[in-house]
Every structure is written in structure tokens, then in C-alpha cells.
Amino acid sequence: MITPGALDRLHPADVYTCMLRHARGDWGDCCPEDAAENELSLREGFRLVSIYRDRNGEKFYIITEADRSLTTTLLAEEY
């Protein structure tokens, strides 16, 4: 899923590339503590949160729900 704001402002190729990174466990611009939390979340089944920037420097998040039923791309201001 992608929010209307993210769909409007992010370049589709950047979203696609970052989705692949998120799926591979590359958490982007997360701080080390948040990256470690994501690693724990992989093992324990909690929510995953990655932070990226598109080619224009726009910060956005990719979040996968704990039950892995939904992954959402949203702008930082929508978080």
C-alpha cells in the first residue's frame, strides 16, 4: 500500500528500489537502535519500520505490520 501523499510526491522507481531494500533487511536511514529493533522484530514477529530518502531528498517510511499482512509506504509527515 502507498498513501496518496507518498504516491503524489515520491518517484515510483525510488519506492520500488526501497521496497526491495526493506524486503532484504536493509533498513535504510534507521539509527542503529531502530535497526537492532527491526532485527528483533524479524525473529519475534513485530512491526518493521524502515526510513529512506528519494532522489529529491524526500524522507519516507516503509512499514510492515507485525502479522506481515500489509506493508505501507508513507511520507515522514504522515507517520
Side-chain angles (χ1 to χ4, degrees):
M1 179 174 167
I2 186 167
T3 64
L7 186 62
D8 184 54
R9 291 190 3 213
L10 300 174
H11 193 284
D14 296 337
V15 172
Y16 177 77
T17 298
C18 291
M19 283 290 257
L20 293 175
R21 290 175 61 192
H22 179 78
R24 286 193 317 258
D26 173 350
W27 313 122
D29 295 337
C30 284
C31 67
E33 295 81 12
D34 288 344
E37 183 67 27
N38 277 343
E39 294 299 324
L40 173 68
S41 294
L42 280 175
R43 293 189 304 275
E44 300 296 326
F46 304 136
R47 187 171 80 151
L48 301 165
V49 179
S50 296
I51 304 169
Y52 305 102
R53 292 190 182 272
D54 77 351
R55 64 187 66 195
N56 297 315
E58 182 83 43
K59 183 177 178 180
F60 66 99
Y61 290 81
I62 298 178
I63 301 172
T64 298
E65 297 304 325
D67 66 1
R68 307 301 186 251
S69 65
L70 181 66
T71 297
T72 304
T73 300
L74 61 155
L75 298 174
E77 64 211 42
E78 297 173 314
Y79 184 65

